[in-house]
Amino acid sequence: MTTHPTTRADRRRATEARILACARELFAAKGFDRTTIRAVAASAGVDPALVMQYFGSKRELFTHAAQASPAPAPAADGEALLDHLLTGLGVKLGGLPDGARAMLRSMLTDPAAASHVREGLDEQIAGIGRALTAGAAGDEGHSHGQAPDPDPDADLRAALIVTTMVGATLGHQLLGLSALRDVPADRITALLRPALEALVRPAG
């Protein structure tokens, strides 16, 4: 049975959620520049003034609509980290959330969106870099009973891992490249596994 908001606060939250859902869909489809407050309001069935009252500006609406939950911290063990990365990529290839799609579609034309994406990717790179360093420390410590020398390429390897996955996601989800578009996600992750494994656990 469908329940309806009963209090004023409940109705406000329901309206905000509806506006955000419509905004995500429009930003994902059209990007920041081509999405208007009027179009979001029409999609949500509210007055444009109400959208402005709740969110203040299109920029603030976009920021709220594009927010995504932070990714879980990657595991330090090499195999577990690899599984974590490929599982995350498989989820993205299965379909990006509207907020993430909106941000990626807008990042090349909107400086604020680009900054937001850059910050998020920098956080992912830093987290993976820490995991790579911790994994190397665990392997070396187990083998020799002492801490290894710091890995000078950990952050670079992490950046190459992240940008490889971003490229695959963009090609599959936003650009619809013919060689990627109709390929099952598990096939793509299986082919990428050796390449990412080489970055997670380089020889030598």
Side-chain angles (χ1 to χ4, degrees), residues 12-28 40-41 43-44 46 51 54-55 57-67 98-99 102:
R12 178 186 175 91
R13 283 192 291 269
T15 300
E16 287 181 348
R18 188 168 72 253
I19 292 170
L20 281 175
C22 293
R24 288 189 184 101
E25 292 178 2
L26 289 171
F27 283 131
V40 172
S43 180
V46 300
V51 178
Y54 282 3
F55 296 99
S57 67
K58 187 171 82 166
R59 170 67 58 202
E60 287 298 315
L61 176 62
F62 179 81
T63 299
H64 282 83
Q67 283 176 347
D98 283 340

PDB file of all heavy atoms in Angstrom, residues 12-28 40-41 43-44 46 51 54-55 57-67 98-99 102:
ATOM      1  N   ARG A  12       7.658  18.378   2.458  1.00  0.00           N
ATOM      2  CA  ARG A  12       8.809  19.127   1.935  1.00  0.00           C
ATOM      3  C   ARG A  12       9.905  18.174   1.478  1.00  0.00           C
ATOM      4  O   ARG A  12      10.466  18.333   0.392  1.00  0.00           O
ATOM      5  CB  ARG A  12       9.336  20.098   3.001  1.00  0.00           C
ATOM      6  CG  ARG A  12      10.568  20.876   2.536  1.00  0.00           C
ATOM      7  CD  ARG A  12      11.161  21.728   3.648  1.00  0.00           C
ATOM      8  NE  ARG A  12      12.393  22.361   3.205  1.00  0.00           N
ATOM      9  CZ  ARG A  12      12.469  23.554   2.635  1.00  0.00           C
ATOM     10  NH1 ARG A  12      11.376  24.257   2.432  1.00  0.00           N
ATOM     11  NH2 ARG A  12      13.639  24.047   2.271  1.00  0.00           N
ATOM     12  N   ARG A  13      10.213  17.179   2.329  1.00  0.00           N
ATOM     13  CA  ARG A  13      11.259  16.223   1.971  1.00  0.00           C
ATOM     14  C   ARG A  13      10.880  15.448   0.708  1.00  0.00           C
ATOM     15  O   ARG A  13      11.731  15.183  -0.150  1.00  0.00           O
ATOM     16  CB  ARG A  13      11.520  15.260   3.139  1.00  0.00           C
ATOM     17  CG  ARG A  13      12.347  15.872   4.264  1.00  0.00           C
ATOM     18  CD  ARG A  13      12.814  14.819   5.239  1.00  0.00           C
ATOM     19  NE  ARG A  13      11.699  14.273   6.010  1.00  0.00           N
ATOM     20  CZ  ARG A  13      11.290  14.754   7.175  1.00  0.00           C
ATOM     21  NH1 ARG A  13      11.913  15.803   7.694  1.00  0.00           N
ATOM     22  NH2 ARG A  13      10.285  14.202   7.822  1.00  0.00           N
ATOM     23  N   ALA A  14       9.603  15.079   0.594  1.00  0.00           N
ATOM     24  CA  ALA A  14       9.156  14.345  -0.590  1.00  0.00           C
ATOM     25  C   ALA A  14       9.286  15.207  -1.847  1.00  0.00           C
ATOM     26  O   ALA A  14       9.687  14.715  -2.915  1.00  0.00           O
ATOM     27  CB  ALA A  14       7.717  13.882  -0.400  1.00  0.00           C
ATOM     28  N   THR A  15       8.950  16.499  -1.711  1.00  0.00           N
ATOM     29  CA  THR A  15       9.067  17.403  -2.857  1.00  0.00           C
ATOM     30  C   THR A  15      10.525  17.589  -3.242  1.00  0.00           C
ATOM     31  O   THR A  15      10.873  17.569  -4.433  1.00  0.00           O
ATOM     32  CB  THR A  15       8.430  18.764  -2.526  1.00  0.00           C
ATOM     33  OG1 THR A  15       7.039  18.564  -2.214  1.00  0.00           O
ATOM     34  CG2 THR A  15       8.530  19.716  -3.708  1.00  0.00           C
ATOM     35  N   GLU A  16      11.407  17.786  -2.261  1.00  0.00           N
ATOM     36  CA  GLU A  16      12.829  17.926  -2.540  1.00  0.00           C
ATOM     37  C   GLU A  16      13.375  16.687  -3.237  1.00  0.00           C
ATOM     38  O   GLU A  16      14.145  16.791  -4.208  1.00  0.00           O
ATOM     39  CB  GLU A  16      13.601  18.169  -1.242  1.00  0.00           C
ATOM     40  CG  GLU A  16      13.402  19.561  -0.658  1.00  0.00           C
ATOM     41  CD  GLU A  16      14.210  19.760   0.609  1.00  0.00           C
ATOM     42  OE1 GLU A  16      14.738  18.756   1.138  1.00  0.00           O
ATOM     43  OE2 GLU A  16      14.321  20.901   1.073  1.00  0.00           O
ATOM     44  N   ALA A  17      12.966  15.519  -2.741  1.00  0.00           N
ATOM     45  CA  ALA A  17      13.446  14.274  -3.343  1.00  0.00           C
ATOM     46  C   ALA A  17      12.963  14.151  -4.790  1.00  0.00           C
ATOM     47  O   ALA A  17      13.709  13.694  -5.666  1.00  0.00           O
ATOM     48  CB  ALA A  17      12.962  13.079  -2.520  1.00  0.00           C
ATOM     49  N   ARG A  18      11.728  14.565  -5.044  1.00  0.00           N
ATOM     50  CA  ARG A  18      11.193  14.491  -6.409  1.00  0.00           C
ATOM     51  C   ARG A  18      11.935  15.455  -7.338  1.00  0.00           C
ATOM     52  O   ARG A  18      12.264  15.110  -8.479  1.00  0.00           O
ATOM     53  CB  ARG A  18       9.692  14.798  -6.406  1.00  0.00           C
ATOM     54  CG  ARG A  18       9.012  14.555  -7.749  1.00  0.00           C
ATOM     55  CD  ARG A  18       7.502  14.592  -7.641  1.00  0.00           C
ATOM     56  NE  ARG A  18       6.985  15.936  -7.440  1.00  0.00           N
ATOM     57  CZ  ARG A  18       6.489  16.370  -6.279  1.00  0.00           C
ATOM     58  NH1 ARG A  18       6.446  15.577  -5.220  1.00  0.00           N
ATOM     59  NH2 ARG A  18       6.025  17.610  -6.177  1.00  0.00           N
ATOM     60  N   ILE A  19      12.193  16.658  -6.846  1.00  0.00           N
ATOM     61  CA  ILE A  19      12.947  17.638  -7.647  1.00  0.00           C
ATOM     62  C   ILE A  19      14.339  17.114  -7.958  1.00  0.00           C
ATOM     63  O   ILE A  19      14.813  17.189  -9.095  1.00  0.00           O
ATOM     64  CB  ILE A  19      13.031  18.992  -6.907  1.00  0.00           C
ATOM     65  CG1 ILE A  19      11.642  19.644  -6.825  1.00  0.00           C
ATOM     66  CG2 ILE A  19      14.018  19.925  -7.601  1.00  0.00           C
ATOM     67  CD1 ILE A  19      11.595  20.861  -5.918  1.00  0.00           C
ATOM     68  N   LEU A  20      15.014  16.544  -6.949  1.00  0.00           N
ATOM     69  CA  LEU A  20      16.360  16.020  -7.163  1.00  0.00           C
ATOM     70  C   LEU A  20      16.363  14.865  -8.157  1.00  0.00           C
ATOM     71  O   LEU A  20      17.252  14.759  -9.010  1.00  0.00           O
ATOM     72  CB  LEU A  20      16.973  15.567  -5.833  1.00  0.00           C
ATOM     73  CG  LEU A  20      17.528  16.662  -4.937  1.00  0.00           C
ATOM     74  CD1 LEU A  20      17.987  16.080  -3.613  1.00  0.00           C
ATOM     75  CD2 LEU A  20      18.676  17.387  -5.623  1.00  0.00           C
ATOM     76  N   ALA A  21      15.374  13.990  -8.052  1.00  0.00           N
ATOM     77  CA  ALA A  21      15.300  12.862  -8.981  1.00  0.00           C
ATOM     78  C   ALA A  21      15.122  13.354 -10.415  1.00  0.00           C
ATOM     79  O   ALA A  21      15.787  12.857 -11.346  1.00  0.00           O
ATOM     80  CB  ALA A  21      14.151  11.934  -8.584  1.00  0.00           C
ATOM     81  N   CYS A  22      14.256  14.336 -10.600  1.00  0.00           N
ATOM     82  CA  CYS A  22      14.050  14.893 -11.941  1.00  0.00           C
ATOM     83  C   CYS A  22      15.293  15.627 -12.420  1.00  0.00           C
ATOM     84  O   CYS A  22      15.663  15.547 -13.601  1.00  0.00           O
ATOM     85  CB  CYS A  22      12.841  15.835 -11.933  1.00  0.00           C
ATOM     86  SG  CYS A  22      11.263  14.997 -11.631  1.00  0.00           S
ATOM     87  N   ALA A  23      15.941  16.344 -11.504  1.00  0.00           N
ATOM     88  CA  ALA A  23      17.165  17.066 -11.871  1.00  0.00           C
ATOM     89  C   ALA A  23      18.254  16.095 -12.307  1.00  0.00           C
ATOM     90  O   ALA A  23      18.962  16.339 -13.290  1.00  0.00           O
ATOM     91  CB  ALA A  23      17.642  17.917 -10.699  1.00  0.00           C
ATOM     92  N   ARG A  24      18.413  14.994 -11.588  1.00  0.00           N
ATOM     93  CA  ARG A  24      19.424  14.002 -11.963  1.00  0.00           C
ATOM     94  C   ARG A  24      19.177  13.484 -13.374  1.00  0.00           C
ATOM     95  O   ARG A  24      20.103  13.342 -14.175  1.00  0.00           O
ATOM     96  CB  ARG A  24      19.432  12.841 -10.974  1.00  0.00           C
ATOM     97  CG  ARG A  24      20.018  13.177  -9.616  1.00  0.00           C
ATOM     98  CD  ARG A  24      20.201  11.940  -8.761  1.00  0.00           C
ATOM     99  NE  ARG A  24      20.674  12.304  -7.433  1.00  0.00           N
ATOM    100  CZ  ARG A  24      19.907  12.372  -6.366  1.00  0.00           C
ATOM    101  NH1 ARG A  24      18.611  12.087  -6.459  1.00  0.00           N
ATOM    102  NH2 ARG A  24      20.406  12.709  -5.204  1.00  0.00           N
ATOM    103  N   GLU A  25      17.923  13.179 -13.677  1.00  0.00           N
ATOM    104  CA  GLU A  25      17.589  12.655 -14.998  1.00  0.00           C
ATOM    105  C   GLU A  25      17.928  13.671 -16.098  1.00  0.00           C
ATOM    106  O   GLU A  25      18.514  13.316 -17.134  1.00  0.00           O
ATOM    107  CB  GLU A  25      16.109  12.290 -15.064  1.00  0.00           C
ATOM    108  CG  GLU A  25      15.730  11.096 -14.202  1.00  0.00           C
ATOM    109  CD  GLU A  25      14.244  10.797 -14.263  1.00  0.00           C
ATOM    110  OE1 GLU A  25      13.527  11.493 -15.012  1.00  0.00           O
ATOM    111  OE2 GLU A  25      13.814   9.860 -13.561  1.00  0.00           O
ATOM    112  N   LEU A  26      17.575  14.930 -15.866  1.00  0.00           N
ATOM    113  CA  LEU A  26      17.811  15.953 -16.881  1.00  0.00           C
ATOM    114  C   LEU A  26      19.286  16.299 -17.003  1.00  0.00           C
ATOM    115  O   LEU A  26      19.816  16.434 -18.116  1.00  0.00           O
ATOM    116  CB  LEU A  26      16.991  17.206 -16.565  1.00  0.00           C
ATOM    117  CG  LEU A  26      15.479  17.053 -16.767  1.00  0.00           C
ATOM    118  CD1 LEU A  26      14.732  18.264 -16.214  1.00  0.00           C
ATOM    119  CD2 LEU A  26      15.160  16.871 -18.250  1.00  0.00           C
ATOM    120  N   PHE A  27      19.991  16.449 -15.879  1.00  0.00           N
ATOM    121  CA  PHE A  27      21.422  16.723 -15.945  1.00  0.00           C
ATOM    122  C   PHE A  27      22.157  15.565 -16.615  1.00  0.00           C
ATOM    123  O   PHE A  27      23.110  15.777 -17.362  1.00  0.00           O
ATOM    124  CB  PHE A  27      21.996  16.950 -14.541  1.00  0.00           C
ATOM    125  CG  PHE A  27      21.695  18.305 -13.954  1.00  0.00           C
ATOM    126  CD1 PHE A  27      21.194  18.424 -12.667  1.00  0.00           C
ATOM    127  CD2 PHE A  27      21.946  19.460 -14.678  1.00  0.00           C
ATOM    128  CE1 PHE A  27      20.931  19.671 -12.114  1.00  0.00           C
ATOM    129  CE2 PHE A  27      21.691  20.719 -14.140  1.00  0.00           C
ATOM    130  CZ  PHE A  27      21.177  20.813 -12.861  1.00  0.00           C
ATOM    131  N   ALA A  28      21.727  14.332 -16.323  1.00  0.00           N
ATOM    132  CA  ALA A  28      22.368  13.165 -16.933  1.00  0.00           C
ATOM    133  C   ALA A  28      22.144  13.137 -18.442  1.00  0.00           C
ATOM    134  O   ALA A  28      23.025  12.756 -19.211  1.00  0.00           O
ATOM    135  CB  ALA A  28      21.832  11.882 -16.296  1.00  0.00           C
ATOM    136  N   VAL A  40      13.394  21.421 -15.033  1.00  0.00           N
ATOM    137  CA  VAL A  40      13.367  20.576 -13.832  1.00  0.00           C
ATOM    138  C   VAL A  40      12.034  20.729 -13.114  1.00  0.00           C
ATOM    139  O   VAL A  40      11.417  19.744 -12.696  1.00  0.00           O
ATOM    140  CB  VAL A  40      14.533  20.941 -12.893  1.00  0.00           C
ATOM    141  CG1 VAL A  40      14.407  20.211 -11.561  1.00  0.00           C
ATOM    142  CG2 VAL A  40      15.875  20.616 -13.554  1.00  0.00           C
ATOM    143  N   ALA A  41      11.576  21.971 -12.978  1.00  0.00           N
ATOM    144  CA  ALA A  41      10.305  22.226 -12.295  1.00  0.00           C
ATOM    145  C   ALA A  41       9.155  21.563 -13.023  1.00  0.00           C
ATOM    146  O   ALA A  41       8.273  20.947 -12.395  1.00  0.00           O
ATOM    147  CB  ALA A  41      10.074  23.734 -12.179  1.00  0.00           C
ATOM    148  N   SER A  43       9.263  18.938 -14.958  1.00  0.00           N
ATOM    149  CA  SER A  43       9.361  17.497 -14.793  1.00  0.00           C
ATOM    150  C   SER A  43       8.895  17.054 -13.412  1.00  0.00           C
ATOM    151  O   SER A  43       8.268  15.999 -13.263  1.00  0.00           O
ATOM    152  CB  SER A  43      10.806  17.056 -15.021  1.00  0.00           C
ATOM    153  OG  SER A  43      10.945  15.672 -14.871  1.00  0.00           O
ATOM    154  N   ALA A  44       9.184  17.882 -12.402  1.00  0.00           N
ATOM    155  CA  ALA A  44       8.797  17.545 -11.028  1.00  0.00           C
ATOM    156  C   ALA A  44       7.378  17.968 -10.690  1.00  0.00           C
ATOM    157  O   ALA A  44       6.867  17.619  -9.620  1.00  0.00           O
ATOM    158  CB  ALA A  44       9.770  18.209 -10.047  1.00  0.00           C
ATOM    159  N   VAL A  46       6.281  21.145 -10.235  1.00  0.00           N
ATOM    160  CA  VAL A  46       6.263  22.232  -9.261  1.00  0.00           C
ATOM    161  C   VAL A  46       6.559  23.538  -9.974  1.00  0.00           C
ATOM    162  O   VAL A  46       6.965  23.560 -11.140  1.00  0.00           O
ATOM    163  CB  VAL A  46       7.298  22.007  -8.130  1.00  0.00           C
ATOM    164  CG1 VAL A  46       7.004  20.725  -7.376  1.00  0.00           C
ATOM    165  CG2 VAL A  46       8.719  21.984  -8.694  1.00  0.00           C
ATOM    166  N   VAL A  51      11.657  25.492  -6.827  1.00  0.00           N
ATOM    167  CA  VAL A  51      12.981  24.902  -7.001  1.00  0.00           C
ATOM    168  C   VAL A  51      14.042  25.871  -6.481  1.00  0.00           C
ATOM    169  O   VAL A  51      14.973  25.475  -5.771  1.00  0.00           O
ATOM    170  CB  VAL A  51      13.244  24.552  -8.480  1.00  0.00           C
ATOM    171  CG1 VAL A  51      14.651  23.988  -8.655  1.00  0.00           C
ATOM    172  CG2 VAL A  51      12.202  23.569  -9.002  1.00  0.00           C
ATOM    173  N   TYR A  54      14.036  26.041  -2.654  1.00  0.00           N
ATOM    174  CA  TYR A  54      14.656  24.901  -1.994  1.00  0.00           C
ATOM    175  C   TYR A  54      16.173  24.850  -2.205  1.00  0.00           C
ATOM    176  O   TYR A  54      16.913  24.464  -1.297  1.00  0.00           O
ATOM    177  CB  TYR A  54      14.048  23.596  -2.519  1.00  0.00           C
ATOM    178  CG  TYR A  54      12.690  23.253  -1.951  1.00  0.00           C
ATOM    179  CD1 TYR A  54      12.014  24.093  -1.066  1.00  0.00           C
ATOM    180  CD2 TYR A  54      12.061  22.075  -2.305  1.00  0.00           C
ATOM    181  CE1 TYR A  54      10.776  23.785  -0.554  1.00  0.00           C
ATOM    182  CE2 TYR A  54      10.813  21.735  -1.797  1.00  0.00           C
ATOM    183  CZ  TYR A  54      10.171  22.596  -0.919  1.00  0.00           C
ATOM    184  OH  TYR A  54       8.936  22.271  -0.413  1.00  0.00           O
ATOM    185  N   PHE A  55      16.640  25.235  -3.403  1.00  0.00           N
ATOM    186  CA  PHE A  55      18.045  24.994  -3.740  1.00  0.00           C
ATOM    187  C   PHE A  55      18.843  26.260  -4.035  1.00  0.00           C
ATOM    188  O   PHE A  55      20.069  26.196  -4.145  1.00  0.00           O
ATOM    189  CB  PHE A  55      18.132  24.024  -4.928  1.00  0.00           C
ATOM    190  CG  PHE A  55      17.584  22.663  -4.601  1.00  0.00           C
ATOM    191  CD1 PHE A  55      16.303  22.308  -4.977  1.00  0.00           C
ATOM    192  CD2 PHE A  55      18.341  21.756  -3.880  1.00  0.00           C
ATOM    193  CE1 PHE A  55      15.792  21.066  -4.656  1.00  0.00           C
ATOM    194  CE2 PHE A  55      17.843  20.507  -3.558  1.00  0.00           C
ATOM    195  CZ  PHE A  55      16.557  20.155  -3.949  1.00  0.00           C
ATOM    196  N   SER A  57      19.887  28.048  -6.471  1.00  0.00           N
ATOM    197  CA  SER A  57      20.399  28.320  -7.812  1.00  0.00           C
ATOM    198  C   SER A  57      20.537  27.002  -8.560  1.00  0.00           C
ATOM    199  O   SER A  57      20.495  25.920  -7.967  1.00  0.00           O
ATOM    200  CB  SER A  57      21.765  29.015  -7.738  1.00  0.00           C
ATOM    201  OG  SER A  57      22.740  28.138  -7.210  1.00  0.00           O
ATOM    202  N   LYS A  58      20.727  27.103  -9.858  1.00  0.00           N
ATOM    203  CA  LYS A  58      20.947  25.890 -10.646  1.00  0.00           C
ATOM    204  C   LYS A  58      22.239  25.212 -10.210  1.00  0.00           C
ATOM    205  O   LYS A  58      22.332  23.982 -10.189  1.00  0.00           O
ATOM    206  CB  LYS A  58      20.972  26.210 -12.145  1.00  0.00           C
ATOM    207  CG  LYS A  58      21.027  24.942 -13.009  1.00  0.00           C
ATOM    208  CD  LYS A  58      20.835  25.231 -14.485  1.00  0.00           C
ATOM    209  CE  LYS A  58      22.103  25.690 -15.150  1.00  0.00           C
ATOM    210  NZ  LYS A  58      22.000  25.656 -16.642  1.00  0.00           N
ATOM    211  N   ARG A  59      23.249  26.013  -9.872  1.00  0.00           N
ATOM    212  CA  ARG A  59      24.522  25.447  -9.424  1.00  0.00           C
ATOM    213  C   ARG A  59      24.340  24.601  -8.169  1.00  0.00           C
ATOM    214  O   ARG A  59      24.863  23.480  -8.061  1.00  0.00           O
ATOM    215  CB  ARG A  59      25.517  26.577  -9.163  1.00  0.00           C
ATOM    216  CG  ARG A  59      26.797  26.152  -8.471  1.00  0.00           C
ATOM    217  CD  ARG A  59      27.653  25.249  -9.330  1.00  0.00           C
ATOM    218  NE  ARG A  59      27.993  25.886 -10.585  1.00  0.00           N
ATOM    219  CZ  ARG A  59      28.355  25.219 -11.675  1.00  0.00           C
ATOM    220  NH1 ARG A  59      28.374  23.915 -11.670  1.00  0.00           N
ATOM    221  NH2 ARG A  59      28.665  25.877 -12.785  1.00  0.00           N
ATOM    222  N   GLU A  60      23.597  25.117  -7.190  1.00  0.00           N
ATOM    223  CA  GLU A  60      23.363  24.367  -5.962  1.00  0.00           C
ATOM    224  C   GLU A  60      22.531  23.113  -6.242  1.00  0.00           C
ATOM    225  O   GLU A  60      22.780  22.048  -5.664  1.00  0.00           O
ATOM    226  CB  GLU A  60      22.661  25.250  -4.923  1.00  0.00           C
ATOM    227  CG  GLU A  60      23.554  26.296  -4.297  1.00  0.00           C
ATOM    228  CD  GLU A  60      24.710  25.669  -3.542  1.00  0.00           C
ATOM    229  OE1 GLU A  60      24.480  24.694  -2.794  1.00  0.00           O
ATOM    230  OE2 GLU A  60      25.849  26.142  -3.719  1.00  0.00           O
ATOM    231  N   LEU A  61      21.550  23.236  -7.108  1.00  0.00           N
ATOM    232  CA  LEU A  61      20.731  22.078  -7.480  1.00  0.00           C
ATOM    233  C   LEU A  61      21.624  21.011  -8.111  1.00  0.00           C
ATOM    234  O   LEU A  61      21.506  19.815  -7.794  1.00  0.00           O
ATOM    235  CB  LEU A  61      19.630  22.500  -8.446  1.00  0.00           C
ATOM    236  CG  LEU A  61      18.753  21.381  -9.009  1.00  0.00           C
ATOM    237  CD1 LEU A  61      18.002  20.662  -7.894  1.00  0.00           C
ATOM    238  CD2 LEU A  61      17.770  21.944 -10.037  1.00  0.00           C
ATOM    239  N   PHE A  62      22.504  21.424  -9.019  1.00  0.00           N
ATOM    240  CA  PHE A  62      23.407  20.485  -9.676  1.00  0.00           C
ATOM    241  C   PHE A  62      24.313  19.803  -8.657  1.00  0.00           C
ATOM    242  O   PHE A  62      24.534  18.583  -8.709  1.00  0.00           O
ATOM    243  CB  PHE A  62      24.235  21.228 -10.718  1.00  0.00           C
ATOM    244  CG  PHE A  62      25.214  20.351 -11.451  1.00  0.00           C
ATOM    245  CD1 PHE A  62      24.800  19.565 -12.515  1.00  0.00           C
ATOM    246  CD2 PHE A  62      26.546  20.316 -11.085  1.00  0.00           C
ATOM    247  CE1 PHE A  62      25.699  18.759 -13.190  1.00  0.00           C
ATOM    248  CE2 PHE A  62      27.450  19.520 -11.756  1.00  0.00           C
ATOM    249  CZ  PHE A  62      27.022  18.739 -12.814  1.00  0.00           C
ATOM    250  N   THR A  63      24.844  20.579  -7.728  1.00  0.00           N
ATOM    251  CA  THR A  63      25.738  20.014  -6.715  1.00  0.00           C
ATOM    252  C   THR A  63      25.036  18.939  -5.905  1.00  0.00           C
ATOM    253  O   THR A  63      25.588  17.853  -5.668  1.00  0.00           O
ATOM    254  CB  THR A  63      26.253  21.123  -5.779  1.00  0.00           C
ATOM    255  OG1 THR A  63      26.994  22.075  -6.557  1.00  0.00           O
ATOM    256  CG2 THR A  63      27.141  20.556  -4.689  1.00  0.00           C
ATOM    257  N   HIS A  64      23.798  19.216  -5.483  1.00  0.00           N
ATOM    258  CA  HIS A  64      23.030  18.228  -4.717  1.00  0.00           C
ATOM    259  C   HIS A  64      22.683  17.013  -5.575  1.00  0.00           C
ATOM    260  O   HIS A  64      22.766  15.870  -5.117  1.00  0.00           O
ATOM    261  CB  HIS A  64      21.739  18.852  -4.170  1.00  0.00           C
ATOM    262  CG  HIS A  64      21.949  19.704  -2.963  1.00  0.00           C
ATOM    263  ND1 HIS A  64      22.357  21.026  -3.046  1.00  0.00           N
ATOM    264  CD2 HIS A  64      21.810  19.441  -1.641  1.00  0.00           C
ATOM    265  CE1 HIS A  64      22.445  21.533  -1.820  1.00  0.00           C
ATOM    266  NE2 HIS A  64      22.132  20.585  -0.954  1.00  0.00           N
ATOM    267  N   ALA A  65      22.294  17.258  -6.817  1.00  0.00           N
ATOM    268  CA  ALA A  65      21.858  16.159  -7.686  1.00  0.00           C
ATOM    269  C   ALA A  65      23.008  15.239  -8.033  1.00  0.00           C
ATOM    270  O   ALA A  65      22.809  14.034  -8.216  1.00  0.00           O
ATOM    271  CB  ALA A  65      21.234  16.717  -8.963  1.00  0.00           C
ATOM    272  N   ALA A  66      24.207  15.781  -8.145  1.00  0.00           N
ATOM    273  CA  ALA A  66      25.353  14.995  -8.608  1.00  0.00           C
ATOM    274  C   ALA A  66      26.114  14.327  -7.483  1.00  0.00           C
ATOM    275  O   ALA A  66      27.042  13.558  -7.738  1.00  0.00           O
ATOM    276  CB  ALA A  66      26.296  15.877  -9.405  1.00  0.00           C
ATOM    277  N   GLN A  67      25.741  14.594  -6.245  1.00  0.00           N
ATOM    278  CA  GLN A  67      26.446  13.981  -5.130  1.00  0.00           C
ATOM    279  C   GLN A  67      26.266  12.471  -5.176  1.00  0.00           C
ATOM    280  O   GLN A  67      25.194  11.953  -5.439  1.00  0.00           O
ATOM    281  CB  GLN A  67      25.929  14.513  -3.792  1.00  0.00           C
ATOM    282  CG  GLN A  67      26.449  15.891  -3.450  1.00  0.00           C
ATOM    283  CD  GLN A  67      25.854  16.437  -2.173  1.00  0.00           C
ATOM    284  OE1 GLN A  67      24.881  15.910  -1.654  1.00  0.00           O
ATOM    285  NE2 GLN A  67      26.440  17.501  -1.662  1.00  0.00           N
ATOM    286  N   ASP A  98      22.283   8.415 -12.087  1.00  0.00           N
ATOM    287  CA  ASP A  98      22.052   9.653 -12.829  1.00  0.00           C
ATOM    288  C   ASP A  98      22.964  10.779 -12.362  1.00  0.00           C
ATOM    289  O   ASP A  98      23.431  11.593 -13.169  1.00  0.00           O
ATOM    290  CB  ASP A  98      20.585  10.081 -12.700  1.00  0.00           C
ATOM    291  CG  ASP A  98      19.667   9.261 -13.592  1.00  0.00           C
ATOM    292  OD1 ASP A  98      20.167   8.651 -14.562  1.00  0.00           O
ATOM    293  OD2 ASP A  98      18.456   9.226 -13.325  1.00  0.00           O
ATOM    294  N   GLY A  99      23.219  10.840 -11.048  1.00  0.00           N
ATOM    295  CA  GLY A  99      24.085  11.899 -10.546  1.00  0.00           C
ATOM    296  C   GLY A  99      25.492  11.802 -11.115  1.00  0.00           C
ATOM    297  O   GLY A  99      26.082  12.796 -11.530  1.00  0.00           O
ATOM    298  N   ALA A 102      25.444  12.694 -14.795  1.00  0.00           N
ATOM    299  CA  ALA A 102      25.333  14.144 -14.967  1.00  0.00           C
ATOM    300  C   ALA A 102      26.678  14.815 -14.788  1.00  0.00           C
ATOM    301  O   ALA A 102      27.077  15.697 -15.556  1.00  0.00           O
ATOM    302  CB  ALA A 102      24.321  14.711 -13.965  1.00  0.00           C
TER     303      ALA A 102
END
